[in-house]
Amino acid sequence: MSSLRERLQEILIKNKLISEDDLKLALQVQKEHGGKLSDCLVKLNLINERDLLIALSEGLGFPPISLARFKIELDLLKVIPKDMAKHYQIIPVAKMGKTLTVAMADPLNIFAIDDLKTLTGYEINPIIAQQREILSAIEQYYEEPATQAIDDIIKDISDMDIEVVRAGKEAGADTQELVRMTKEAPVIKITNLLLERGIEMSASDILIEPWEHSMRVRVRVDGVLREIESPPVKYHASIVSRIKVMSDLDIAEHRLPQDGRFKIKLQDRFVDFRVSILPSFHGEKVALRILDKSTATLDIDRLGFDTKTLASIKTCSDRPHGMLLVSGPTGSGKTTTLYSILNYVDSPEDNVVTVEDPVEYQLEGINQVSIRPEIGLTFAGCLRSILRQDPDVIMVGEIRDFETVDIAIKSALTGHLVLSTLHTTTAAGSVIRLVNMGVEPFLITSSVICLINQRLVRKICESCKESYPLTEAIVDTLGIRSSGKGPLLAYRGKGCKKCFNIGYSGRVVIGEILTLTPAIKELIISRAQEYELKAAARQEGMQTLRENGIAKVLEGVTSLEEILRVTAPDESMK
């Protein structure tokens, strides 16, 4: 059988992917500097990695795989040792019967295939993958610290101890025994490890979910859930009990939902966790919201708003009274934007008060109130009391009903700056939402200063960002204006160790702002429809969410796929 190098030369020349001169140049560079011929071709920009992989796949008859988009089951890693995986640049991807499918950078390496067959006892089915992706996957899966750490801790826990906890959960047995178990070192270590893992990955949430025969732990990173290594299901009850103890919740209650919070110290900084426990069919599901001030961006200049939108928000925030409403779906960063505006307007001369459900970040110098509906402390009730506290700026976490919006609007009309949020999908839609809640149009025009609608989109990882030209069809479909200086470029992340092979790292806000100008106010008074308000705002220069997002695509901040994922089509852009 010919070597990979010989077959590669034959395929590239036959398919006219490179010229004879290109091949001679690459061979000369390989002779002088060493390395693989494929690496030399890529480094010399004679061919890109993706085209090279496709050519090899077609020429060699091996199917290709993109490991960056593929999740490898952790049990497979036990079949092939890490040292062998690194030596041969291979990684197992699937197992069916007596056949083991292995991703290889060199699927013609018969020595590697023979060694694998001897070691594992399986028939080897090779498929081809990029060398870079294989090495990155080996680092990600084989060198996962949490996996080994959990395995080591589990060895220290006896089966008898675990059965005591499960019996306590199911039969309502000795509560003191449950408390004792939550203070055992192994349970504490596993729980702390899961919390530290979430913080390390800059996650916003950790979900601990029990199933009939397994337990799943997922973290939400940049708005997307990812599964991480989980302890066996028999440890679920002890972990939940430990979290309850940390949150000062009822450890013996397994039938009703419970909410709480706790704080831990990690590397000389404190991180808050908001806890929600929900009884499910197979046990209690735990949702932990991570509130890490060290990673929170509460500076309005750093949220990612474009220059024009940012200037409008600051101008409206500088007004002595009126209402600013931030809208968007759950998880779109509305509260962060409100906190950032509070930071911007806060000064020793102003009395700033917030009413929230619950208080997410504790801000120095700002009076924050957490509502408690179970005892009658509602948004409306808090607002009435706050107005007697001589406030200058009031933040209402969310407007949910007419009573709350009525008091908020009256507060704005009587000389207070009011900030709040609504659950609507467009800035113009916020006006219609207020009218549907029972607010008279003349009150909206008299009190509301501006309406902000926003989304959070993932930023492309700077370590693995690459550009590609947009086709004319995409440019025409999206209504993008070309500069006429060559093809427009978009960007995407290839996936690397720093971004956990996702291609994204961090998030940035995109937004549209509807300022209530005289023309917009006239339309509101006449009870115009949402599309009419939007069209008038665009004539006055408002940039829609999708337009704002596409601008960030062309700047290389995010990808086109991400913008299409989070924004709705905008016919007015064509």
Side-chain angles (χ1 to χ4, degrees):
M1 181 181 287
S2 58
S3 67
L4 180 65
R5 170 176 160 170
E6 293 168 345
R7 292 289 290 130
L8 177 60
Q9 295 180 47
E10 179 183 338
I11 292 166
L12 295 178
I13 295 299
K14 181 180 178 182
N15 294 337
K16 298 181 180 180
L17 294 172
I18 62 172
S19 65
E20 292 281 359
D21 292 337
D22 291 338
L23 178 60
K24 289 179 182 178
L25 174 61
L27 290 171
Q28 181 63 33
V29 171
Q30 183 190 28
K31 182 178 179 180
E32 294 176 358
H33 300 284
K36 293 185 176 182
L37 177 60
S38 56
D39 292 340
C40 293
L41 289 166
V42 172
K43 287 179 180 178
L44 292 170
N45 291 320
L46 300 176
I47 190 172
N48 63 53
E49 287 185 84
R50 186 168 300 177
D51 290 342
L52 181 64
L53 183 69
I54 293 173
L56 282 173
S57 172
E58 294 176 351
L60 300 177
F62 295 107
I65 186 173
S66 174
L67 292 176
R69 302 176 182 272
F70 189 85
K71 177 175 171 50
I72 298 174
E73 297 296 331
L74 298 179
D75 287 344
L76 286 173
L77 304 179
K78 300 174 183 177
V79 179
I80 299 177
K82 180 176 70 174
D83 292 341
M84 175 175 279
K86 278 189 169 183
H87 178 71
Y88 286 124
Q89 296 179 3
I90 57 177
I91 192 164
V93 295
K95 184 175 65 174
M96 182 174 293
K98 281 294 181 181
T99 301
L100 181 68
T101 300
V102 180
M104 308 178 67
D106 182 0
L108 297 181
N109 190 337
I110 57 174
F111 300 107
I113 294 174
D114 287 343
D115 284 352
L116 282 175
K117 191 182 298 184
T118 302
L119 174 70
T120 64
Y122 289 97
E123 291 295 321
I124 305 302
N125 175 38
I127 58 177
I128 190 168
Q130 294 180 28
Q131 178 188 13
R132 172 181 54 79
E133 289 192 354
I134 291 176
L135 295 177
S136 180
I138 290 172
E139 288 184 2
Q140 178 186 356
Y141 291 101
Y142 278 100
E143 300 180 6
E144 180 63 70
T147 304
Q148 188 60 43
I150 288 178
D151 289 342
D152 291 342
I153 293 170
I154 286 174
K155 292 176 183 177
D156 297 333
I157 305 178
S158 68
D159 290 337
M160 180 179 66
D161 287 340
I162 294 303
E163 290 306 317
V164 169
V165 173
R166 290 180 62 78
K169 168 201 164 190
E170 293 166 4
D174 190 355
T175 303
Q176 291 183 350
E177 186 65 20
L178 285 170
V179 174
R180 183 192 68 78
M181 278 301 305
T182 64
K183 296 180 180 179
E184 293 287 337
V187 174
I188 294 175
K189 286 181 181 178
I190 290 180
T191 306
N192 289 347
L193 189 66
L194 295 177
L195 300 180
E196 291 172 10
R197 183 78 172 123
I199 297 171
E200 173 191 315
M201 297 180 69
S202 299
S204 60
D205 301 88
I206 303 174
L207 303 182
I208 301 174
E209 303 162 310
W211 304 106
E212 185 175 4
H213 302 296
S214 63
M215 171 181 168
R216 181 171 68 176
V217 179
R218 295 186 291 171
V219 295
R220 189 178 296 278
V221 180
D222 296 334
V224 178
L225 283 172
R226 297 186 62 227
E227 189 171 349
I228 62 173
E229 176 67 10
S230 308
V233 68
K234 63 180 180 179
Y235 303 107
H236 171 261
S238 57
I239 294 172
V240 174
S241 297
R242 173 61 187 167
I243 292 173
K244 286 183 179 180
V245 169
M246 296 170 69
S247 308
D248 197 24
L249 300 177
D250 186 354
I251 195 173
E253 179 58 72
H254 307 288
R255 301 165 300 170
L256 297 174
Q258 296 189 70
D259 295 316
R261 65 191 305 155
F262 63 88
K263 181 184 294 186
I264 66 171
K265 186 176 182 181
L266 181 67
Q267 298 176 351
D268 298 325
R269 77 177 192 271
F270 287 98
V271 180
D272 289 309
F273 286 83
R274 202 172 74 204
V275 182
S276 175
I277 297 179
L278 179 71
S280 67
F281 187 77
H282 295 294
E284 291 175 289
K285 177 179 181 293
V286 180
L288 300 166
R289 169 63 56 89
I290 302 175
L291 304 171
D292 188 355
K293 284 186 180 179
S294 65
T295 59
T297 303
L298 301 181
D299 182 351
I300 195 169
D301 292 310
R302 296 174 56 197
L303 294 181
F305 286 111
D306 63 273
T307 305
K308 184 179 178 180
T309 302
L310 181 60
S312 296
I313 293 174
K314 287 184 175 181
T315 299
C316 294
S317 302
D318 288 333
R319 297 273 290 273
H321 56 81
M323 180 184 287
L324 279 75
L325 289 176
V326 182
S327 62
T330 301
S332 59
K334 300 187 297 296
T335 303
T336 300
T337 297
L338 287 185
Y339 278 141
S340 301
I341 295 174
L342 280 182
N343 268 342
Y344 173 73
V345 302
D346 184 34
S347 71
E349 292 79 22
D350 289 327
N351 178 16
V352 182
V353 187
T354 75
V355 49
E356 306 170 58
D357 180 25
V359 172
E360 292 200 10
Y361 292 104
Q362 298 174 19
L363 304 178
E364 191 71 28
I366 293 177
N367 306 285
Q368 296 174 271
V369 181
S370 181
I371 71 164
R372 297 180 62 188
E374 69 274 10
I375 62 172
L377 188 62
T378 62
F379 277 116
C382 278
L383 272 175
R384 290 192 187 94
S385 297
I386 287 172
L387 290 174
R388 293 191 286 270
Q389 292 284 322
D390 187 32
D392 295 294
V393 181
I394 303 171
M395 187 190 97
V396 183
E398 182 184 347
I399 290 178
R400 300 175 179 174
D401 51 45
F402 174 74
E403 188 178 13
T404 303
V405 72
D406 183 52
I407 300 172
I409 285 178
K410 288 175 180 176
S411 301
L413 291 173
T414 53
H416 306 89
L417 182 65
V418 180
L419 313 175
S420 192
T421 68
L422 274 177
H423 279 98
T424 57
T425 56
T426 65
S430 297
V431 175
I432 308 303
R433 171 70 173 146
L434 291 174
V435 172
N436 290 339
M437 290 174 73
V439 182
E440 290 294 335
F442 75 89
L443 289 176
I444 297 175
T445 59
S446 302
S447 59
V448 177
I449 304 171
C450 72
L451 303 155
I452 305 165
N453 187 259
Q454 66 177 62
R455 302 289 188 277
L456 290 177
V457 295
R458 292 179 291 175
K459 294 194 295 184
I460 299 172
C461 175
E462 291 295 333
S463 300
C464 59
K465 183 163 69 174
E466 64 176 4
S467 63
Y468 66 95
L470 289 174
T471 64
E472 291 185 8
I474 292 177
V475 171
D476 182 61
T477 300
L478 296 177
I480 304 174
R481 294 180 180 178
S482 176
S483 61
K485 299 178 181 179
L488 291 173
L489 296 179
Y491 300 82
R492 59 192 168 206
K494 294 185 290 185
C496 65
K497 181 180 179 182
K498 288 186 178 180
C499 61
F500 302 98
N501 285 318
I502 297 175
Y504 298 97
S505 179
R507 287 190 291 178
V508 67
V509 69
I510 60 171
E512 61 184 20
I513 179 167
L514 174 59
T515 304
L516 268 66
T517 62
I520 298 296
K521 288 182 178 180
E522 284 185 16
L523 288 172
I524 294 174
I525 292 294
S526 64
R527 296 181 180 268
Q529 296 299 309
E530 179 180 342
Y531 73 91
E532 295 175 297
L533 293 171
K534 185 174 181 179
R538 293 206 66 246
Q539 287 180 356
E540 296 192 352
M542 184 188 82
Q543 192 177 48
T544 65
L545 274 177
R546 179 158 285 194
E547 286 175 320
N548 190 229
I550 288 176
K552 282 185 166 50
V553 170
L554 300 179
E555 292 170 8
V557 176
T558 189
S559 68
L560 184 59
E561 293 80 5
E562 186 71 359
I563 296 302
L564 297 179
R565 180 179 72 87
V566 302
T567 65
D570 191 346
E571 295 298 328
S572 61
M573 288 174 57
K574 293 183 179 181

